[in-house]
Amino acid sequence: GAAAFSFGVDRMWLSDGNDRTQLQLGARYALWRGVSAIYSGGMIGFDQASASYWDPRRFTSHAIGLELSTQQDSGFSVSARVLPGIGRMNDSFDPTDSTSRSASQLSTGLALAYRRRWWSLTLDGDYAHGVRDSGYHSARASARLRITP
């Protein structure tokens, strides 16, 4: 169809006794051939503060943008997306402290795929920046080979 929605929940328990909960929400709406409007939102939160890693009490983000794609049943496919958005973070573990910080953010992604009848190879990656005042940047890359006999 013209629209697709996704929702995910992730719970992580750490060896220092801390817990992390993450919620993800996504939506895609086809505008015309090969162009879609996309939304990505989420929340991540830790139960306790830690000096060892980034541990916001609550971080929420919302982004909306466009994805350009070519989808083929066989052969090469490409997709690229850009999503400007905003992130809001509350670092305090004090329940009486309601201060939070907001920052603009930008995420981008690119995926290349080659498909055949019984296998496919996908290379993809993402880049994001602007989440924290410290000049935070993140990058991710992956390669997947899928065999479907």
Side-chain angles (χ1 to χ4, degrees), residues 9-128:
V9 177
D10 181 65
R11 183 82 171 165
M12 181 171 63
W13 297 272
L14 298 150
S15 63
D16 64 359
N18 207 354
D19 296 339
R20 185 199 75 192
T21 302
Q22 184 173 0
L23 305 173
Q24 289 291 122
L25 179 64
R28 172 179 277 108
Y29 183 76
L31 299 173
W32 59 86
R33 185 182 172 119
V35 178
S36 297
I38 51 178
Y39 165 82
S40 177
M43 185 280 299
I44 184 170
F46 287 84
D47 289 341
Q48 302 170 29
S50 171
S52 302
Y53 47 85
W54 182 61
D55 59 351
R57 177 72 177 145
R58 174 148 303 146
F59 174 77
T60 57
S61 64
H62 302 280
I64 190 164
L66 292 176
E67 180 180 65
L68 305 174
S69 66
T70 62
Q71 296 295 324
Q72 306 291 330
D73 291 336
S74 183
F76 283 101
S77 296
V78 178
S79 68
R81 63 192 169 282
V82 61
L83 291 105
I86 189 160
R88 185 177 184 108
M89 183 170 54
N90 184 342
D91 283 326
S92 177
F93 284 84
D94 178 354
T96 63
D97 184 1
S98 62
T99 61
S100 63
R101 297 180 292 155
S102 296
S104 60
Q105 56 189 31
L106 179 68
S107 62
T108 60
L110 177 67
L112 306 169
Y114 186 77
R115 293 181 184 88
R116 284 309 213 194
R117 180 177 172 182
W118 57 273
W119 65 275
S120 66
L121 176 63
T122 304
L123 305 172
D124 71 349
D126 299 308
Y127 174 77

